[in-house]
Amino acid sequence: EALIAQRADAKNLSEYERADEILARLRAQHTVVLDDKRRTWRRVVEFGGYYRVGPKVDPFTTKKVADLLERRTAHQVVREYEDADALHAQLTELGITLDTRLKTWKKRKRNN
């Protein structure tokens, strides 16, 4: 919680670069994400650098998504983009939406 307070202080002082560094450190070292609008924080479980947002997902789907995300990230690290894109397509087929900017994933709602 000390880091969260330090980030708030940095933002209040308009030291946005420092605030962003603290935010990155919270996520990398403690798997903590902040919601500035709601003024909340929470610990998350990451797979391949992504964490789930939205409603809970069943354990089978979570395991499948985790495997695909880990493999996708590994391919991206070694610049095997075609393979990474193929895994992204598999995630899409499962009804998973990735936000590559925020590094989040969620299961799309079914259209009835």
Side-chain angles (χ1 to χ4, degrees):
E1 291 184 14
L3 281 175
I4 294 170
Q6 288 175 21
R7 180 174 180 269
D9 290 343
K11 283 182 66 176
N12 288 335
L13 296 170
S14 298
E15 295 175 359
Y16 299 113
E17 190 173 312
R18 185 170 146 245
D20 289 345
E21 289 170 2
I22 293 169
L23 183 64
R25 195 164 130 205
L26 282 164
R27 178 136 178 213
Q29 294 177 358
H30 306 285
T31 62
V32 167
V33 294
L34 304 178
D35 184 335
D36 287 330
K37 288 181 184 176
R38 293 186 177 130
R39 296 182 176 203
T40 60
W41 62 272
R42 67 185 175 113
R43 293 203 60 185
V44 295
V45 177
E46 291 187 345
F47 305 110
Y50 286 77
Y51 67 94
R52 182 189 52 78
V53 294
K56 290 188 179 190
V57 178
D58 67 271
F60 176 79
T61 300
T62 299
K63 184 167 178 15
K64 181 73 174 168
V65 169
D67 176 58
L68 292 169
L69 285 173
E70 293 286 352
R71 290 173 40 211
R72 179 178 182 273
T73 299
H75 284 294
Q76 287 180 312
V77 167
V78 293
R79 297 181 180 198
E80 294 172 344
Y81 298 116
E82 232 175 84
D83 293 328
D85 290 346
L87 292 167
H88 191 154
Q90 287 181 39
L91 288 160
T92 300
E93 288 174 20
L94 288 173
I96 303 301
T97 301
L98 295 182
D99 183 328
T100 56
R101 186 179 64 82
L102 296 176
K103 304 289 270 184
T104 61
W105 68 273
K106 68 179 174 181
K107 179 113 172 119
R108 286 191 308 270
K109 293 179 182 176
R110 292 183 186 186
N111 292 334
N112 292 337

